[in-house]
Amino acid sequence: MKTIFAAVAALGLLTAGAAEAKITILTCEPEWTALAKELGGDRVDAVSATTGLQDPHQIQARPSLIARMRAADMVVCTGAELEVGWLPVLLRQGANPRVQPGTPGYFEAARVVGLKEAPQALDRSLGDVHAAGNPHIQTDPRNMLPVAAALSEQFTRIDPAGAETFKANLAAFETRWKIAIDGWQQKAAALKGVPVLVQHKSWVYLIDWLGMREIAPLEPKPGIAPSTSYLAELLDKVKAEKPRMILVAAYEDDRGSKWMSEHASIPVATLPFTVGGSREAETLTGLYDDTIKKLLAALN
Amino acid sequence: MSVSGRSALVALGLFTSIPAFAADADLAEIRKQIDTLNQRRLEDAARIKDLEDRLAKAEATAKAATDAATRAATTAQAAAQAASAPPPAPPSSANSFNPAISGVLDGKLGAFSKNPGTYALAGFPLGGEGPGQRGLFLGEAELNAQANVDDLFMGSLTFSLGQNGSETDVGLEEAFIQTLSLPGGFQATAGKFLSDIGYLNSFHDHADDFADRPLAYRAFLANGLKDIGVRLTWLAPTATYLRFGAEVMRGEEFPGAGAANNGLGAKSAYMRAGDDIGTEISYQTGVSWLWTDANGRETGSTPDLFNGKTDVGIAHLVVKWAPNGNPVNRNFKFQAEALRNHIDGVFNGIHVDRVDYGAYGQMIYQFQPQWRIGYRFDWIDAGNVPVALAGSTLDSLGRTATRSTAMLEYDHSEFSRLRLQYSYDRSRLFGADHQFLLQYTATIGAHPAHSY
């Protein structure tokens, strides 16, 4: 028994210092993997804990994720309680001091973005509300700018040797990104003022960015699936406002939106929500290209 | 301006109307009038001054108002900018470091064809509870508080509160500290905790997929081992999840008792491994072993006395599937554990050395959001007893205990659950028992985080 422990301890110490070459990053959502690769280039090795087809609220703390947490130099997540059901378990079971909250290895994107919809009251009868505000910041590309700046700075803290690279990558990204945002806004001009229904309150940042108007979510409370009778009631209420489409994330159960689509005779816009949420949204740019393309298609 | 102009005109008019031949009396009258006029001019001047002052004041007020408006606009702009800037740090107060507190509420309704009060598991002394109660009863309510102690430790405290007849039982479920930042994948835990052996053992009851524990857990571990002790685990730096752990415990709890070996009466060692297979399937498997010493262990109402060693070996496998790896809408879970129980000691004065086997397998399918169904099969085979112990609690009379359980569950949200469960139970010495349980479980307070 003693010798086994000694051997195990020795092995642990040996491996602890290794693998400093690249920053190994575990992101909670694929959009941060894409952003980390843009900013870090060859100096980072980023993998996402989730795919674009998985609900980031409810991920299981799978053994493979614990192993990845163990190996990570850095964890990049949305924060604002989006991952509250699984990230704490990974952090605890991953037994990795480099990525605990408060260390340079822990990064929450929502901290550098002003969050919308911070609830006035915290009560679960209001559904699964997030105390800090709506965490789905990646649906507005403008939010990528402050996150990119903060993330780049954090990279430098972990890998000072790469400071120049990170700086150059950030500058290039910012220039390209601002032009891209202008392009998207021009393309999406027709969406201004368009009234929409949403499945979950996932789209507040997108809707704000493009000047659309959210009439109501299909969920009676955040995180609670709508019943048919609730949907019928909702349809009566929103008829007068003439919603033009229903916004749904690729990973969401589509029965509620299908019902509403049939009964209100409006299309469902199944949007990628994040990188990997659709075949076209394989990159960060592709995410917004495809989102706007799908919105415009639903409008016509 | 207009006021002073008019008084000037009036004065001019008066002067021009004075006749050149005016008498002295007239002169006096004129002087008087001039005095009056002068007086009026003074008054006018004062009035003018007053008006001018008021005008200046009004202008100043207007300017102030404009300034204020400008300032307000600037503030609004700043506020708008602030709104898109990161939120300010929360104000510090005495309770801002309060731990995350959560509670679990659990209530049940039981219906049994055989009186659960007379329950006995064929061939085994029971260290814990039986199948439940008839009618309405309360499961264990739990209260948990946890927080980081400092940069090195986190701490967790869990009380269980149970209602036993008219008495309230307060139990210490867990009270431990755990390291946060040991290097090299090591983690140490000290205090009272749920042992990490097997799969189900490290979960609290309310996290289970059925309203009661498997028979093998009931027989060998009194539904689950928790004890005072220390644990050291090591997570290997491999792409595949691989964790080794060892525990030394006081040995106060079933199957141990009496804190044998000077308060080091139980030990365990375990290994767990797991990974993904593609994006849709994940698994965890493991092997654990527990060694305990019992020092004067009493079980049952006419107590059976046991002194000796028990060791329990457990192998487990859990496989989960979800379309696209997204369990929210549909998912499937298979879980099985096989246990080997070895006792070597003196039972009611007679030496006994035997091996028992137990196992269960269960499947849970969430067929749409909020709805889950499940099936579990239980099996235990008790070893032989010495002739001198024939007819004792250890004698199963050749009976192999089995149980089939089906359940239907409605999860309204992540925080509330309603479950209906039926068991066809053949774990008593004779006959079969139909067992119905209707159960609610609710979580309040801090958002729960679930282990795999």
Side-chain angles (χ1 to χ4, degrees), chain B residues 77 85 120 136 193 229 236 238 269:
Chain B
Q77 217 171 345
L136 293 164
F193 49 75
T238 46

Side-chain angles (χ1 to χ4, degrees), chain A:
Chain A
M1 192 87 135
K2 256 182 204 160
T3 49
I4 292 174
F5 271 127
V8 157
L11 190 56
L13 289 174
L14 276 177
T15 51
E20 296 279 40
K22 278 187 178 190
I23 308 179
T24 305
I25 302 173
L26 177 64
T27 71
C28 286
E29 289 86 18
E31 65 266 23
W32 308 130
T33 302
L35 187 63
K37 283 179 179 166
E38 296 264 2
L39 301 173
D42 290 340
R43 300 192 76 93
V44 304
D45 195 352
V47 193
S48 174
T50 62
T51 74
L53 299 175
Q54 297 172 353
D55 184 345
H57 297 89
Q58 293 185 47
I59 295 298
Q60 287 169 328
R62 302 194 307 276
S64 62
L65 297 183
I66 298 171
R68 279 187 185 155
M69 187 59 91
R70 160 81 163 90
D73 299 310
M74 191 176 184
V75 168
V76 177
C77 292
T78 301
E81 296 182 3
L82 176 62
E83 303 96 352
V84 69
W86 51 281
L87 183 59
V89 178
L90 292 182
L91 284 169
R92 193 135 80 79
Q93 299 193 353
N96 181 348
R98 296 188 299 275
V99 297
Q100 297 299 320
T103 62
Y106 183 80
F107 181 85
E108 281 186 2
R111 280 186 179 269
V112 294
V113 176
L115 298 186
K116 293 178 190 300
E117 297 188 329
Q120 297 293 311
L122 285 178
D123 187 328
R124 290 258 163 75
S125 68
L126 307 173
D128 191 8
V129 290
H130 302 285
N134 191 312
H136 308 295
I137 51 174
Q138 85 286 359
T139 58
D140 179 350
R142 294 175 302 179
N143 286 339
M144 289 295 157
L145 292 168
V147 174
L151 188 57
S152 177
E153 203 183 302
Q154 202 119 327
F155 282 171
T156 308
R157 288 175 69 188
I158 292 177
D159 177 14
E164 288 306 309
T165 313
F166 299 140
K167 215 174 182 183
N169 287 351
L170 176 66
F173 172 76
E174 283 176 338
T175 312
R176 200 164 51 75
W177 202 244
K178 281 173 186 159
I179 295 167
I181 290 175
D182 276 345
W184 290 318
Q185 283 172 340
Q186 278 167 22
K187 254 189 220 163
L191 292 162
K192 200 156 252 173
V194 169
V196 296
L197 293 172
V198 299
Q199 166 81 28
H200 175 73
K201 296 202 65 96
S202 307
W203 306 105
V204 47
Y205 298 94
L206 175 75
I207 285 168
D208 178 70
W209 173 45
L210 298 178
M212 296 188 288
R213 196 158 60 80
E214 180 180 320
I215 298 174
L218 298 189
E219 289 180 340
K221 301 281 161 65
I224 292 177
S227 65
T228 312
S229 60
Y230 177 81
L231 288 173
E233 233 172 81
L234 184 69
L235 177 59
D236 272 350
K237 267 191 229 160
V238 301
K239 237 185 221 161
E241 302 198 53
K242 297 204 167 56
R244 297 287 301 275
M245 62 182 88
I246 307 163
L247 308 191
V248 177
Y251 63 80
E252 278 169 333
D253 179 40
D254 61 353
R255 282 172 311 157
S257 53
K258 255 187 194 155
W259 188 98
M260 189 55 99
S261 166
E262 278 163 24
H263 289 76
S265 313
I266 52 172
V268 173
T270 304
L271 305 180
F273 190 64
T274 180
V275 175
S278 69
R279 214 172 310 133
E280 294 81 6
E282 284 305 320
T283 61
L284 213 47
T285 316
L287 167 62
Y288 302 101
D289 281 340
D290 192 44
T291 300
I292 286 169
K293 200 180 95 190
K294 291 200 157 116
L295 285 172
L296 290 173
L299 190 66
N300 301 318

